[in-house]
Amino acid sequence: MNGQNKRTVYADHAATVPITDRVRAAIEPFLCECFGNPSSIYRYGREASRAIFTARKQIAELFGCHPQELYFTSGGTESDNLAVKGSAFAHDHTTHGQHMVATAIEHHAVLHSLRFLERCGMDVTYVMPDTNGIISPDAVLDACRDDTVLVAVMLANNEIGTIQPIRNIADAIHEYGIPLFCDAVQGMGQIPVNPIALGADMLSLSGHKIGAPRGGGLLYVRSGTPLLPLIDGGGQEMGMRSGTENTAAIVGLSQAMQDAAAETAEHARYLRGLSDALFRALECLPHCIVNGTKDPLLRLPGNVNVSFPGLDAESMVLHLDRLGIAASAGSACTAGKAALSHVLAAIGRDDAAAASSLRFTFGRENTMDDVIYIADAVKHVTETLYAMQ
Ligand code: PLP
């Protein structure tokens, strides 16, 4: 394999996806002609605020919740920060003497919010997954205490795609009156996502993972859940999130959510076919280890995560990039230094396996030819890199 027969394959849909045609058509008017500030009372403002009202109503109908239980934000990171920090400060305006429980494999938007709270005096217990990447409801319940004010468990993991038993966890902790926050950013479009059905008291979503613009997201907050706003100002979003609303991102989010919900089952079947084929091809390669369970009920259909111990994930990603393939390394690059994945460490992978993980995440435009091309490319890259050792 060389650069000559190169094609382009985007296989990093867990990072972000292109805006869909339907979303583009829906948001177009709000980028230019309907540019009004939704807080203005004249026609331009009313047009924008009507669009936001409609989007909120459509999402509420999709979830079967009250529109006033939905807050638009700038994305998954902000929603996660609001849920975690807003819960802590809602209780006492001080975090001393409070306790939270979270899984050790949450996204950094949750984990780093918790680290901030720990510096303010919060006590946090991190629940470890099993070696397949699954969190046990019993382990979550065991971690809870009398002073626990929040439990945070993500719906699906962004690195290894494992799906958590959210409903069972919610039922267990609700017996003790403890609210559940669920980061569902990676689930929408691939598995059913509904905060009511999941039993989540708060649930975060991000538009750009499902074909809406980057910079738009949502936090569902069940009525009565204690939460303090983090961003103060003009009192938009019912006082929970000040700042002039991003009308286009909100309209796009609603459109993308309607489309994702309507197409979930069919989309999931298609993605599963691609992932299964890639797993089959990669597992034949020397040294390949699959990260996370392969149980179809417990893994996002579009997620493939494997390690090639002894190789370096970033070098593999760059070699694949030269062959036209966009994939992700399991390690996160922080301030120029590659940090080993906390998720792979939590499922018991040693440093060699954690430093050599590759994640491929599929979307609707990927084809079986893409899978064959990726499999050939990974074979070529890993053979070349192992031979150089
Ligand atoms: N939570 C999870 C599980 C994610 O995968 C991501 C993004 O990758 C986020 C939160 C952050 O979302 P955003 O990029 O919209 O800030």
Side-chain angles (χ1 to χ4, degrees), residues 12 76 82 104 130 187 190 192 216 224 245 265 275 284 297 322 332 341 348 370 382:
D12 200 13
L82 175 56
D130 64 16
Q190 294 195 51
E245 299 91 334
S275 298
C284 297
L297 293 176
R322 262 182 238 133
S341 153
D370 291 343
T382 55

Side-chain angles (χ1 to χ4, degrees), residues 79-120:
S79 297
D80 288 356
N81 272 260
L82 175 56
V84 173
K85 295 176 185 165
S87 294
F89 295 123
H91 283 271
D92 220 355
H93 291 235
T94 161
T95 52
H96 280 279
Q98 287 185 25
H99 176 244
M100 286 189 179
V101 174
T103 82
I105 57 170
E106 294 298 303
H107 189 268
H108 283 137
V110 171
L111 289 180
H112 290 177
S113 294
L114 289 166
R115 297 275 140 76
F116 168 81
L117 293 176
E118 284 179 293
R119 290 197 295 277
C120 301

Side-chain angles (χ1 to χ4, degrees), residues 315-332:
S315 316
M316 287 189 281
V317 166
L318 293 175
H319 276 81
L320 291 173
D321 183 36
R322 262 182 238 133
L323 296 170
I325 297 169
S328 162
S331 53

Side-chain angles (χ1 to χ4, degrees), residues 17-170:
V17 307
I19 292 177
T20 66
D21 290 344
R22 260 181 283 182
V23 168
R24 187 160 53 173
I27 68 176
E28 189 118 47
F30 300 96
L31 296 173
C32 293
E33 69 262 36
C34 304
F35 62 88
N37 185 322
S39 298
S40 304
I41 58 169
Y42 44 77
R43 185 174 62 80
Y44 293 92
R46 288 200 307 276
E47 268 170 8
S49 80
R50 201 174 312 118
I52 294 172
F53 175 86
T54 304
R56 202 187 307 278
K57 192 159 147 280
Q58 287 167 337
I59 299 170
E61 276 163 15
L62 193 66
F63 285 167
C65 70
H66 199 281
Q68 288 181 345
E69 293 177 310
L70 300 171
Y71 300 104
F72 293 116
T73 66
S74 65
T77 299
E78 187 190 327
S79 297
D80 288 356
N81 272 260
L82 175 56
V84 173
K85 295 176 185 165
S87 294
F89 295 123
H91 283 271
D92 220 355
H93 291 235
T94 161
T95 52
H96 280 279
Q98 287 185 25
H99 176 244
M100 286 189 179
V101 174
T103 82
I105 57 170
E106 294 298 303
H107 189 268
H108 283 137
V110 171
L111 289 180
H112 290 177
S113 294
L114 289 166
R115 297 275 140 76
F116 168 81
L117 293 176
E118 284 179 293
R119 290 197 295 277
C120 301
M122 172 75 69
D123 203 7
V124 182
T125 303
Y126 297 94
V127 178
M128 299 300 281
D130 64 16
T131 52
N132 283 321
I134 305 297
I135 300 288
S136 136
D138 286 343
V140 173
L141 194 58
D142 285 348
C144 290
R145 313 191 312 213
D146 289 346
D147 56 351
T148 305
V149 294
L150 187 72
V151 168
V153 183
M154 71 200 319
L155 176 59
N157 185 264
N158 44 301
E159 290 186 32
I160 56 174
T162 50
I163 300 168
Q164 306 306 338
I166 298 297
R167 180 78 231 191
N168 297 344
I169 292 170

Side-chain angles (χ1 to χ4, degrees), residues 13-17 20 23 58-64 70 76 154-158 161-163 166 182-196 198 203-212 216-220 252-268 271 299-303 361-364:
H13 292 77
T16 196
V17 307
T20 66
V23 168
Q58 287 167 337
I59 299 170
E61 276 163 15
L62 193 66
F63 285 167
L70 300 171
M154 71 200 319
L155 176 59
N157 185 264
N158 44 301
T162 50
I163 300 168
I166 298 297
C182 178
D183 172 338
V185 165
Q186 288 290 342
M188 193 88 207
Q190 294 195 51
I191 53 174
V193 175
N194 182 313
I196 320 286
L198 290 168
L203 180 136
S204 59
L205 285 174
S206 172
H208 73 99
K209 309 290 185 183
I210 54 170
L218 181 75
L219 184 67
Y220 159 83
L253 176 67
S254 173
Q255 182 67 50
M257 286 178 67
Q258 316 300 315
D259 297 342
E263 293 159 8
T264 299
E266 188 206 326
H267 190 47
L271 296 182
R299 186 178 192 118
L300 288 177
N303 175 292
T361 45
F362 292 119
R364 62 186 71 253

